[in-house]
């Protein structure tokens, strides 16, 4: 989970293109607080503030939101019951589930993701806890902004490409497009060769959209897990990482658990950074051990990907394969640069299959990736690479 307290500047907006947000929570205090935060942003507005999931379903057509912040526990119709009804009426609605940090709510949040929710966010136990409230404030606004903007891009018609004049096309003459007319996101991305050293570990970093991506990935890399250790940092709070580890174990059919400080890293296992603590690796004699710490956030995140990536170089040098999956921000890019400098390799998830192309996009645009692939092509590629194919 991100814990940044600084705000990235919102895009310029007019009233017509503001993101419309529906706030659904049975607590009048929470509804009022979230509504004030949203209305204070220049690029978003509250389209409705509602008490129950039933209100949300009944008023959806009238209020026409782009994003819904949906509480889990509500009278009449709770969030998990309202979710499929809302998506049935508006398939492109971005739904962010909000819940307190209990095991039950974490399990419900994971179920919501499988039913079509875009993301989740943990609510503070008390709005009187200033730090917790500020973190909730920042993370919620960023999720609304990034997920809402992506949903709009997906539903907006693509601009028509420039068309050459008919006489030129008839003669088969190619008319080059001026560089200024080419969107930056579509410029060719630099690639580098995969490292020449055989990888001895797989490191994965992910954030928004990561749980679903991770489940898909680990289900298809059994041959890699069986022979090599897999270490994962997912931006996620405590309790949620406990549930995620259980889901990863079921999806991979291999042992997966929250990493424990001091434990020896072994092939055949998946180690997940526990929520609220950075995970690093250190030498322990001839072996490798997990080192957890309660240091300050890195890249505004805790756990963060860069500490894992950077520490792995001291242990495995250039024999590292790293993957950066969907997520906001740029965590993993700096650590990925160091891995590449040491002789290792980075694979990034592509923009089309990422929920948010922040982290993988930062790595791709930095020119450190050997491959930028759709999610369903990453596992087969990893299996080949760990079997000796360096192409």
């Amino acid at each position: 989970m991100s814990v940044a307290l600084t705000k990235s500047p919102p895009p310029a907006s007019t009233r017509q293109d503001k993101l419309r947000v529906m706030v659904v929570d049975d607590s009048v205090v929470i509804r009022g607080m979230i509504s004030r935060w949203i209305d204070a942003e220049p690029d978003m507005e509250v389209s409705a503030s509602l008490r129950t999931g039933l209100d949300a379903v009944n008023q959806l057509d009238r209020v026409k939101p782009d994003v819904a912040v949906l509480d889990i526990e509500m009278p009449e119709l709770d969030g998990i019951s309202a979710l499929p009804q809302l998506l049935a009426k508006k398939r492109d609605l971005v739904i962010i589930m909000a819940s307190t940090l209990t095991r039950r709510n974490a399990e419900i949040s994971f179920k919501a993701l499988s039913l079509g929710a875009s993301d989740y966010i943990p609510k503070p136990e008390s709005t009187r806890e200033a730090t917790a409230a500020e973190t909730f404030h920042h993370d919620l606004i960023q999720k609304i902004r990034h997920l809402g903007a992506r949903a709009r891009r997906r539903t907006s018609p693509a601009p028509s490409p420039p068309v050459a004049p008919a006489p030129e096309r008839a003669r088969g003459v190619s008319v080059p497009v001026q560089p200024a007319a080419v969107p930056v996101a579509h410029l060719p991305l630099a690639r580098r060769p995969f490292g020449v050293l055989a990888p001895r570990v797989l490191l994965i970093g992910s954030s928004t959209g990561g749980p679903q991506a991770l489940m898909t990935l680990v289900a298809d890399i059994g041959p890699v897990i069986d022979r090599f250790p897999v270490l994962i940092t997912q931006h996620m709070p405590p309790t949620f990482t406990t549930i995620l580890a259980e889901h990863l174990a079921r999806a991979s059919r291999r042992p997966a658990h929250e990493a424990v400080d001091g434990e020896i890293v072994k092939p055949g296992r998946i180690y997940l950074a526990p929520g609220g603590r950075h995970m690093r690796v250190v030498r322990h004699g001839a072996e490798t051990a997990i080192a957890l710490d309660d240091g300050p956030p890195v890249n505004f995140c805790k756990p963060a990907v860069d500490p894992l990536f950077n520490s792995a170089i001291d242990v495995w040098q250039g024999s590292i394969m790293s993957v950066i999956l969907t997520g906001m921000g740029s965590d993993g890019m700096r650590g990925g640069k160091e891995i590449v400098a040491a002789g290792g390799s980075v694979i990034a998830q592509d923009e089309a299959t990422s929920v948010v192309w922040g982290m993988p996009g930062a790595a791709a645009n930095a020119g450190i990736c050997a491959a930028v692939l759709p999610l369903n092509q990453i596992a087969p590629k990893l299996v080949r690479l760990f079997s000796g194919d360096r192409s």
Side-chain angles (χ1 to χ4, degrees), residues 17 51 75 97 107 111 118 164 179 199 207 264 277 330-331 391:
D17 65 11
R51 177 174 171 268
M97 305 300 295
E107 290 173 336
K111 182 179 179 182
S118 299
S207 184
I264 301 301
R277 302 188 75 186
S330 62
D331 191 24
S391 60

Side-chain angles (χ1 to χ4, degrees), residues 300-372:
F300 312 116
C301 304
K302 188 178 175 182
V305 179
D306 278 342
L308 172 62
F309 280 14
N310 287 325
S311 68
I313 298 167
D314 292 334
V315 174
W316 291 289
Q317 290 79 49
S319 299
I320 298 171
M321 183 62 60
S322 58
V323 176
I324 301 178
L325 299 176
T326 172
M328 291 189 292
S330 62
D331 191 24
M333 184 268 287
R334 291 181 181 83
K337 279 186 177 179
E338 297 301 321
I339 286 175
V340 168
S345 303
V346 177
I347 294 174
Q349 185 176 351
D350 75 348
E351 184 173 11
T353 62
S354 295
V355 173
V356 178
W357 206 54
M359 288 167 50
N365 285 302
I368 63 173
C369 297
V372 179

